Amino acid sequence: MSGVPLVEQAAAIASQFLSPRADQADMATGPPVEQIRRLAEAGLLGLTTPPQYGGEGAAPSVVRDCLAAVASGCGVTAFIYYQHIVGCRHLASCSNAPLKDRLMPDLSAGRRFCSLAFSHLRRPGPPPLRVLAEGDAWIFDGTAPWMTGWGFADDVLLAGVLPDGRSAWALVPLSERGDLQASPPARLCAMNASATVSLECRALRVEPERQVKTMTPAELAADTDRANIFFTALSLGAARAAVGSMRSGRCDDLIADAADALEREVESMRAAVDRWDDPATPADERGDATALRARCIDLGVRASNAAVVVGGGAANGLGHPAQRLFREAMVYSLIAQTRDLRSANLDLLLRSDKRVSK
Ligand SMILES: Cc1cc2nc3c(=O)[nH]c(=O)nc-3n(C[C@H](O)[C@H](O)[C@H](O)COP(=O)(O)OP(=O)(O)OC[C@H]3O[C@@H](n4cnc5c(N)ncnc54)[C@H](O)[C@@H]3O)c2cc1C
């Protein structure tokens, strides 16, 4: 480790390495391997892994600032990267010590890479992926509709629903075989290089050594607030990059004023998110996590739209960063979506007076 604060390292990698390659990474047919390797070399793959396993055990605000920096440099890199650090966070908090001892040092160093497939737990209706206990093993049957990083990730944090309504979480090694089949990669208008597939599990048997945890629906709902706060970083990163794009090129007074105003909004939202997360903040002053995330999503979309407007006709070109940021900001409005988040976003889109941050 270099001794340089993690956020500074992430920002330097973003501006010097990720950003110059971002349009190329966006158009690539597979994940940005070199970019992820550069993050690993800086210790950033161990951001959410405790020091006892070789990680940084960074505070949530540091994790968000690092993710925002990466997202401001390259959307698809941030998109793949966050899967890994979220997976490591869940693994670190579980009680399966032998699993952690065996895998966390490699995950932290980036010698193994982890993806996720659990967003379907937040869908209403019959679970698309069910789990039955057979002795002390778990048997997964059904489809996880989304998993990013197929062909790149070594493991997936996979979750399905037990008959009693709890979710069962396991770290499953990824390779195509009879009991685990991936769809062809989805064709996407943003994050197309993320190698996103659906995973079909046919009587996939997971022994205790790969089991991570179970969660009740109430525990999952409580974690959703934390997830919403975490994902603000992607939108704020895109907004910051959009402000940078506005200031490059033909920047007259009007554009400079608009960029300054958007930058003030980014800083104000970042402070509001940090306040939510600060244990010293009184409960009645924290604000609502879903509403905060909705405002960050809205800001990311508006700022990148402003960058498109400033870019003019050229911004419609596939090599122009503004339209890429606009597409990335759009995807961030869908990630880990819940009904409440969707309502909060629609409300903002229909009520422009609610958008202005104080
Ligand atoms: C490019 C891409 C990559 C992704 N990669 C991953 C990944 O690697 N791992 C992963 O786990 N997920 C991944 N996702 C999923 C993502 O995080 C979101 O969960 C997902 O996009 C939300 O859409 P959905 O179609 O799955 O859910 P939807 O079914 O549209 O549901 C979204 C929300 O709306 C609510 N809802 C839906 N229908 C109703 C209804 N009738 N009444 C009330 N509420 C309702 C649901 O409860 C849910 O909270 C990815 C998504 C994209 C677009």
Side-chain angles (χ1 to χ4, degrees):
M1 264 156 265
S2 68
V4 178
L6 290 164
V7 180
E8 278 179 34
Q9 288 199 61
I13 293 171
S15 63
Q16 292 160 23
F17 194 78
L18 304 184
S19 179
R21 292 164 178 78
D23 293 317
Q24 209 184 338
D26 174 55
M27 293 293 146
T29 51
V33 178
E34 285 305 314
Q35 286 85 331
I36 297 289
R37 186 169 301 147
R38 189 57 72 98
L39 297 176
E41 283 163 7
L44 290 162
L45 262 60
L47 209 53
T48 55
T49 302
Q52 72 186 102
Y53 301 108
E56 300 288 346
S61 63
V62 172
V63 175
R64 285 194 299 277
D65 284 348
C66 288
L67 180 61
V70 174
S72 75
C74 174
V76 71
T77 301
F79 198 71
I80 290 180
Y81 171 58
Y82 89 67
Q83 313 274 337
H84 179 86
I85 58 173
V86 167
C88 290
R89 173 175 80 78
H90 281 278
L91 191 57
S93 67
C94 86
S95 59
N96 189 341
L99 178 64
K100 292 197 281 190
D101 289 343
R102 201 165 72 248
L103 293 188
M104 291 223 77
D106 281 352
L107 287 165
S108 158
R111 290 186 293 273
R112 288 187 86 83
F113 197 85
C114 176
S115 186
L116 312 171
F118 63 77
S119 61
H120 49 274
L121 296 178
R122 298 192 177 98
R123 279 184 175 179
L129 184 60
R130 294 177 185 277
V131 184
L132 288 178
E134 198 177 278
D136 54 7
W138 288 339
I139 313 295
F140 286 73
D141 255 308
T143 302
W146 300 99
M147 193 214 82
T148 284
W150 175 258
F152 177 69
D154 303 281
D155 302 282
V156 60
L157 183 64
L158 179 73
V161 179
L162 288 158
D164 65 5
R166 285 176 304 146
S167 46
W169 300 59
L171 193 69
V172 175
L174 282 168
S175 61
E176 201 148 14
R177 45 188 204 250
D179 56 4
L180 186 68
Q181 301 271 321
S183 70
R187 291 188 64 227
L188 303 165
C189 83
M191 311 301 177
N192 191 49
S194 63
T196 295
V197 298
S198 64
L199 286 180
E200 196 186 332
C201 305
R202 294 187 199 137
L204 171 72
R205 185 180 182 87
V206 180
E207 301 293 346
E209 50 267 30
R210 281 279 182 166
Q211 294 173 5
V212 174
K213 62 178 172 181
T214 60
M215 283 179 98
T216 63
E219 287 166 341
L220 183 68
D223 202 54
T224 301
D225 268 355
R226 195 145 289 288
N228 272 327
I229 289 298
F230 171 78
F231 284 119
T232 58
L234 292 171
S235 299
L236 294 182
R240 229 177 247 137
V243 167
S245 167
M246 290 168 75
R247 287 186 178 136
S248 65
R250 319 165 283 194
C251 185
D252 60 20
D253 288 351
L254 193 67
I255 295 171
D257 285 351
D260 289 349
L262 286 165
E263 186 171 42
R264 282 194 297 276
E265 274 198 67
V266 172
E267 292 317 320
S268 150
M269 285 314 304
R270 177 179 169 272
V273 167
D274 282 351
R275 235 179 358 261
W276 185 93
D277 208 20
D278 183 346
T281 305
D284 60 347
E285 290 173 23
R286 281 176 99 194
D288 175 72
T290 309
L292 279 173
R293 173 150 180 230
R295 283 168 61 193
C296 290
I297 288 172
D298 180 71
L299 176 55
V301 172
R302 278 188 296 121
S304 55
N305 195 355
V308 168
V309 170
V310 168
N316 194 34
L318 276 179
H320 198 288
Q323 54 73 33
R324 171 178 55 76
L325 288 165
F326 196 27
R327 287 183 284 113
E328 291 167 358
M330 175 276 291
V331 171
Y332 302 151
S333 69
L334 309 173
I335 297 312
Q337 194 187 56
T338 64
R339 186 184 51 184
D340 291 347
L341 181 64
R342 199 167 52 188
S343 307
N345 263 130
L346 286 177
D347 199 33
L348 278 180
L349 287 168
L350 298 174
R351 299 265 312 272
S352 57
D353 56 314
K354 278 198 180 177
R355 284 173 165 167
V356 181
S357 14
K358 304 279 186 297

